[in-house]
Amino acid sequence: MDLDLLRATLAQRGQPAFRAQQVWEWMARGASSYAQMTNLPEALRADLERSVPLSSLVLEREAVASDGTEKALFHTVDARPLEAVLMRYRGGAKHSASVPNPSRDGRRSVCLSSQSGCPLTCIFCATGSMAYARNLTASEILDQALHFRRKESSARHPASPSESQGAVPAPRIDHCVFMGMGEPLLNLDNVLAACERLPDIGIHPSSTTISTVGWIPGIDRLTDRDGPTIRLALSLHAPDDALRSELMPVNERYPLADVLDACRRWHEVRRRRLYVEYLMLDGVNDRYEQAIALAALLTPRTAFKVNLIPYNPTDSAFEGSSRDAIDAFRSALEERGVPATVRLTRGRDIDAACGQLAAAGAAPRVVTTPSPR
Ligand code: SAH
């Protein structure tokens, strides 16, 4: 929902300012129509229905993977594409493969885009090969999360009381990562404005992660700003400047040593471990010596934790490393005292990697649903 438009419309109608907050609270709880907002006068609800769309985004396509991961492709009112992903984890345990048990549903994590396209041109990334459009507004960022918030509540909270018998409470979306399209630190004001409202949806700052290519001015702002600590992830992907510059041209501007210094300072001030993301690219960055070089970079040990990411194949020339290569890389890191985990691959059958759905132009197993207005 365009919250500026909402406030302006309410002011125009001579409505008290608290109405905007009332509408927002309904939205944050997963309301999918103004009709549900029963503490608003009926005439106002009908008026808002006509004048302020429930979402600033138009849903274009959806795809659901066999593991429950769901991806949505939207466009903005000015026809800019973007996408978001909901990852549903089963049971209490994060990586449990047990039979789904709805009453014990686990974590729900939403992956949001901060820009339509991306001006950085990481050569392995599908978003990097698309045209860059623009920064997303705070409302456009929030509307991605609200889309899934509505879906989760309508799936678990049937409308009529008779239907609700036996219904289980809606599992909360409780984690958020800025790992969709775009570089969040190039749009930090809007990303932070969205983050301020995420707790109303049920997502705490300590469960929110901003992922960056290593845009130093943005890292510094996150270090020095007032306000709660949001988690930080650095897309590192190569243990030396030559290879990193090849994969991620932004490294020419902000080389590794400087980026890691900025990360250490964030850690010292914020007292949290930083996640280092490391894509595993076959024959490119997955050799034993490269694991050793990476371990040497990540000091002090208490500051970093590595996530090894299996590559989701795109149209690029890269292929993902084998499971054995990933395991060996992880062991080499752990032997040197660097905590490392292998990221579970999710949504592979729906092109869930960054930018893939938008770049492909068509998605397999598509469910088309009209966007709520
Ligand atoms: N610009 C930010 C956030 C968006 S990308 C960043 O670079 O961190 C989020 C993560 O997805 C990054 O670590 C990125 O390198 C990774 N990624 C991009 N393409 C991928 C692919 N095909 N498979 C797996 N991860 C990918």
Side-chain angles (χ1 to χ4, degrees):
M1 166 172 295
D2 183 335
L3 296 168
D4 294 332
L5 176 64
L6 174 69
R7 274 188 292 267
T9 307
L10 289 168
Q12 243 173 31
R13 312 292 196 263
Q15 289 289 330
F18 67 80
R19 293 281 180 228
Q21 182 60 20
Q22 284 179 315
V23 171
W24 166 250
E25 280 167 15
W26 281 104
M27 296 299 297
R29 274 182 276 146
S32 50
S33 70
Y34 284 106
Q36 287 168 281
M37 304 182 186
T38 44
N39 54 352
L40 264 64
E42 213 173 314
L44 178 63
R45 281 185 259 157
D47 183 358
L48 290 176
E49 183 84 48
R50 286 187 300 270
S51 37
V52 184
L54 222 54
S55 178
S56 60
L57 302 174
V58 179
L59 179 64
E60 211 163 279
R61 281 198 297 275
E62 297 181 285
V64 185
S66 48
D67 63 11
T69 298
E70 187 164 339
K71 183 153 182 166
L73 173 66
F74 305 95
H75 62 254
T76 60
V77 287
D78 57 341
R80 309 304 193 179
L82 65 128
E83 56 197 23
V85 181
L86 177 70
M87 289 158 288
R88 300 183 171 98
Y89 296 88
R90 286 172 182 169
K94 224 156 111 176
H95 295 159
S96 163
S98 61
V99 182
N101 175 353
S103 63
R104 286 187 57 242
D105 260 1
R107 194 159 64 102
R108 295 277 189 274
S109 187
V110 69
C111 174
L112 305 182
S113 292
S114 53
Q115 300 180 310
S116 172
C118 184
L120 305 174
T121 49
C122 303
I123 59 174
F124 48 79
C125 178
T127 304
S129 65
M130 299 169 54
Y132 170 63
R134 64 167 171 82
N135 279 337
L136 298 176
T137 65
S139 294
E140 287 165 343
I141 293 169
L142 275 173
D143 275 330
Q144 301 166 52
L146 289 178
H147 165 79
F148 290 118
R149 180 71 186 81
R150 281 191 295 275
K151 292 205 84 166
E152 290 298 278
S153 51
S154 63
R156 303 286 170 155
H157 282 314
S160 76
S162 59
E163 278 176 79
S164 72
Q165 281 176 357
V168 290
R172 288 175 82 81
I173 298 174
D174 53 3
H175 283 70
C176 170
V177 292
F178 282 89
M179 294 186 186
M181 289 165 70
E183 168 53 40
L185 297 190
L186 286 174
N187 186 19
L188 192 48
D189 287 334
N190 292 342
V191 166
L192 289 176
C195 286
E196 262 175 39
R197 287 187 180 258
L198 287 177
D200 297 338
I201 303 177
I203 306 170
H204 197 264
S206 63
S207 304
T208 300
T209 302
I210 292 180
S211 178
T212 179
V213 294
W215 194 263
I216 294 177
I219 298 174
D220 289 346
R221 266 189 71 190
L222 289 175
T223 302
D224 297 325
R225 81 182 192 106
D226 294 328
T229 295
I230 297 167
R231 297 224 162 218
L232 185 61
L234 170 69
S235 295
L236 193 68
H237 303 334
D240 62 86
D241 277 317
L243 179 59
R244 194 165 189 269
S245 293
E246 224 177 278
L247 299 175
M248 308 172 71
V250 68
N251 190 70
E252 301 274 356
R253 179 161 181 169
Y254 297 121
L256 258 180
D258 297 348
V259 172
L260 288 170
D261 278 346
C263 291
R264 287 186 192 98
R265 210 171 70 77
W266 179 87
H267 165 73
E268 276 159 26
V269 173
R270 293 291 168 170
R271 303 261 145 227
R272 290 281 199 293
R273 257 184 213 276
L274 200 127
Y275 303 112
V276 167
E277 293 166 275
Y278 195 95
L279 263 178
M280 295 298 292
L281 301 170
D282 183 40
V284 175
N285 65 356
D286 63 350
R287 288 197 309 279
Y288 180 74
E289 313 84 82
Q290 289 166 314
I292 292 173
L294 177 61
L297 288 178
L298 301 180
T299 57
R301 291 290 187 252
T302 48
F304 300 100
K305 176 183 183 298
V306 175
N307 274 324
L308 298 176
I309 311 175
Y311 185 58
N312 252 319
T314 68
D315 285 342
S316 77
F318 295 102
E319 290 200 33
S321 307
S322 69
R323 187 67 217 199
D324 282 352
I326 297 176
D327 286 342
F329 201 91
R330 188 177 80 113
S331 302
L333 291 174
E334 293 222 306
E335 276 160 20
R336 282 157 188 79
V338 179
T341 50
V342 180
R343 164 108 33 101
L344 208 65
T345 305
R346 301 193 61 94
R348 204 165 251 221
D349 50 338
I350 54 163
D351 282 352
C354 179
Q356 278 188 296
L357 195 61
R365 303 219 287 117
V366 173
V367 194
T368 315
T369 318
S371 182
R373 299 280 302 178

